[in-house]
């Protein structure tokens, strides 16, 4: 009987230590998940901002080319350029908003 009691006591003493190990492992997993999520958010917004930058560059380049070919249409092309830039910026801001909505 004393051997059985000794085994039972050692099992009872080992259980809280196992729970503490699980808790620290879970906390480490949560910290890792949070870190990876933060890196993913930064990469996603970087891609959205980079795409918007490329889009704005293409719109401005096309406008300059169009004005160089037909200077009399400069006012109309400039207006369309600013409208296009506005749409591109809206898409970049939507990409930024999705980072907070989806997480």
């Amino acid at each position: 009987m004393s051997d059985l009691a000794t085994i039972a006591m050692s099992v009872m003493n080992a259980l809280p230590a196992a729970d503490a190990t699980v808790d620290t492992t879970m906390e480490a997993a949560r910290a890792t998940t949070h870190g990876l999520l933060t890196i993913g958010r930064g990469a996603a917004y970087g891609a959205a901002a980079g795409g918007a930058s490329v889009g704005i560059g293409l719109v401005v380049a096309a406008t300059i080319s169009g004005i160089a070919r037909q200077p009399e249409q400069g006012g109309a092309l400039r207006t369309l350029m600013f409208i296009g830039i506005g749409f591109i910026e809206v898409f970049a801001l939507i990409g930024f908003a999705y980072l907070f909505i989806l997480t």
Side-chain angles (χ1 to χ4, degrees):
M1 278 288 222
S2 67
D3 289 336
L4 186 59
T6 305
I7 292 172
M9 287 302 289
S10 62
V11 168
M12 289 296 290
N13 289 334
L15 287 177
D19 287 340
T21 304
V22 170
D23 288 341
T24 57
T25 304
M26 291 298 282
E27 288 175 15
R30 286 186 188 126
T32 302
T33 303
H34 179 69
L36 291 174
L37 184 62
T38 303
I39 291 171
R41 283 181 181 170
Y45 185 64
S53 301
V54 169
I56 289 173
L58 291 173
V59 167
V60 171
T63 303
I64 291 172
S65 176
I67 291 173
R69 291 176 188 218
Q70 292 184 351
E72 66 274 2
Q73 293 294 322
L77 290 174
R78 191 175 305 116
T79 302
L80 289 174
M81 177 188 73
F82 286 125
I83 291 171
I85 288 173
F87 281 126
I88 292 169
E89 286 294 324
V90 165
F91 288 133
L93 291 175
I94 288 172
F96 182 66
Y98 275 150
L99 296 178
F100 294 107
I101 292 171
L102 296 178
T103 56

